[in-house]
């Protein structure tokens, strides 16, 4: 008995985690898969319909339009988050008091709820009372206050600004951790060899931060693909449904149109898309040089 316990000691250690994952990840996922194969309504009832929901999803132009807008939002905001986050990390990586204070100030919005920050920026962008328009008019960027949420592109820009302010500190912190983990002797050797600051960034910091860059990209892309709160609060899917994201469209079908089965099928499709991208990122991360 004791020998058996010692032989399975590792399994006993991970058993609580396996039970937790089984109950709160795989069981709900299994339920979701089964739900996607039915025509269950939020009001109750429903029958097994096989893959009808998936066939309907592939013919649903509104869903693919929402998925296309989500991809557009992801492609638009990810380079901003990555580039600005890395630049801020370069500025605040040294552990000096000023850099530490600046790092803390930039990170502060991360702890604010996404709903609260979206409401704040919705007010800031308001045409009548929001100070953002007034500032842009005063400095001469705008001739008159803009109405940000009546067209898709200005609405996308407004949401991007709000989310960048909200989450940029998290990416910055990941980049700072990656930069600080690089052996300082490598930078000193490059400095002795005559390498200037930008050469050290390009040839040392960037290559040795590749895993952190891939991790940050993965987190940013998944967060963007699952965007909902900011668009629900700031745009409401307007104008004319042009700012519906994938998750927003899933919510619309599941809880507004009461089509839980169809919403579950859309969720599975979005999950598969995210899993494919995540697998690619993990593969690239495993092939990248360790810092």
């Amino acid at each position: 008995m004791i020998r058996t316990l010692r032989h399975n000691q590792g399994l006993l250690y991970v058993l609580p985690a396996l039970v937790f994952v089984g109950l709160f990840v795989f069981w709900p996922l299994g339920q979701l898969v089964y739900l996607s194969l039915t025509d269950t309504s939020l009001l109750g009832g429903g029958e097994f319909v096989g893959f009808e929901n998936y066939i309907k999803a592939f013919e649903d132009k509104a869903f693919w339009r929402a998925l296309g807008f989500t991809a557009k939002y992801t492609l638009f905001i990810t380079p901003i988050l990555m580039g600005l986050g890395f630049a801020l990390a370069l500025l605040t990586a040294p552990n000096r008091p000023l850099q530490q204070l600046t790092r803390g100030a930039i990170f502060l919005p991360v702890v604010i709820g996404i709903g609260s920050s979206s409401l704040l920026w919705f007010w800031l962008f308001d045409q009548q009372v929001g100070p953002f328009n007034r500032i842009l008019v005063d400095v001469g960027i705008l001739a008159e206050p803009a109405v940000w949420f009546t067209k898709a592109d200005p609405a996308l820009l407004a949401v991007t600004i709000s989310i960048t302010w909200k989450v940029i500190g998290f990416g910055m912190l990941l980049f700072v951790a990656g930069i600080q983990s690089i052996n300082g002797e490598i930078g000193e050797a490059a400095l002795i060899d005559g390498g200037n600051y930008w050469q050290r960034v390009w040839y040392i910091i960037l290559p040795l931060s590749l895993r952190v860059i891939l991790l940050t990209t993965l987190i940013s892309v998944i967060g963007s693909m699952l965007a909902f709160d900011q668009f629900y609060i700031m745009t409401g899917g307007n104008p004319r449904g042009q700012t519906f994201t994938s998750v927003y469209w899933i919510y619309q079908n599941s809880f507004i149109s009461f089509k839980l089965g169809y919403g579950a099928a859309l969720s599975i499709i979005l999950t598969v898309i995210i899993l494919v991208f995540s697998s690619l990122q993990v593969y690239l991360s495993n092939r990248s040089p360790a810092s």
Side-chain angles (χ1 to χ4, degrees):
M1 180 65 178
I2 296 176
R3 183 178 298 177
T4 303
L5 288 175
R6 287 179 177 175
H7 183 71
N8 297 306
Q9 189 175 20
L11 179 61
L12 291 174
Y13 283 140
V14 301
L15 186 59
L18 291 176
V19 172
F20 181 87
V21 171
L23 287 176
F24 296 103
V25 177
F26 290 111
W27 174 252
L29 183 60
Q31 292 288 92
L32 180 67
V33 171
Y34 175 76
L35 188 63
S36 71
L37 301 175
T38 70
D39 61 355
T40 302
S41 169
L42 186 65
L43 301 176
E47 298 178 352
F48 185 84
V49 295
F51 292 98
E52 286 186 14
N53 286 327
Y54 292 95
I55 296 172
K56 180 182 176 182
F58 282 105
E59 297 173 349
D60 187 352
K61 294 181 180 179
F63 172 64
W64 292 105
R65 185 166 58 247
L67 192 61
F69 176 75
T70 305
K72 178 182 177 181
Y73 169 66
T74 302
L75 292 173
F76 184 58
I77 196 172
T78 299
I80 296 174
L81 294 178
M82 299 297 295
L84 187 56
F86 189 75
L88 291 173
L90 290 175
L91 292 173
T92 61
N95 275 323
R96 293 191 286 267
L98 180 60
Q99 279 80 358
Q100 291 175 345
L101 181 63
T102 305
R103 199 186 308 158
I106 296 172
F107 183 79
L108 192 59
V110 176
V111 304
I112 301 174
I114 185 69
S116 300
S117 68
S118 298
L119 283 171
L120 169 64
W121 280 94
F122 182 74
W123 170 75
L124 289 173
F125 280 109
D126 186 86
Q127 182 188 13
Q128 302 297 327
V129 298
F132 197 79
N133 271 329
R134 191 179 307 117
I135 293 172
L136 293 179
V137 171
D138 290 343
V139 299
I141 297 177
L142 294 178
E144 59 183 13
V147 183
W148 291 87
F149 303 109
T150 57
K151 294 183 180 179
D153 289 340
L156 176 61
L157 178 60
V159 171
T160 299
I161 292 172
S162 72
I163 293 301
T164 300
W165 174 83
K166 167 75 174 67
V167 305
I168 193 65
F170 182 74
M172 176 202 67
L173 212 60
L174 291 177
F175 283 128
V176 167
I179 293 171
Q180 291 182 347
S181 68
I182 298 174
N183 191 332
E185 294 178 356
I186 301 176
E188 292 175 3
L191 187 62
I192 293 172
D193 289 339
N196 60 38
Y197 176 77
W198 292 112
Q199 287 175 326
R200 297 198 301 274
V201 170
W202 183 257
Y203 292 108
I204 297 175
I205 296 178
L206 268 175
L208 294 181
S209 300
L210 186 57
R211 285 192 174 182
V212 178
I213 292 172
L214 290 172
L215 172 63
T216 309
T217 304
L218 177 62
I219 294 172
S220 174
V221 168
I222 291 177
S224 301
M225 291 292 290
L226 297 177
F228 169 71
D229 306 66
Q230 58 268 43
F231 288 97
Y232 179 79
I233 293 171
M234 296 183 70
T235 73
N238 294 313
R240 298 181 302 278
Q242 294 181 49
T243 57
F244 272 125
T245 60
S246 303
V247 176
Y248 201 156
W249 187 243
I250 292 169
Y251 163 82
Q252 192 78 8
N253 279 276
S254 300
F255 300 105
I256 304 300
S257 300
F258 305 125
K259 296 182 288 188
L260 276 182
Y262 182 56
L266 298 180
S267 299
I268 293 295
I269 293 172
L270 182 60
T271 301
V272 170
I273 293 172
I274 292 175
L275 283 176
V276 169
F277 180 80
S278 301
S279 300
L280 177 62
Q281 287 289 95
V282 171
Y283 171 77
L284 292 175
S285 178
N286 290 334
R287 290 177 59 87
S288 65
S291 59

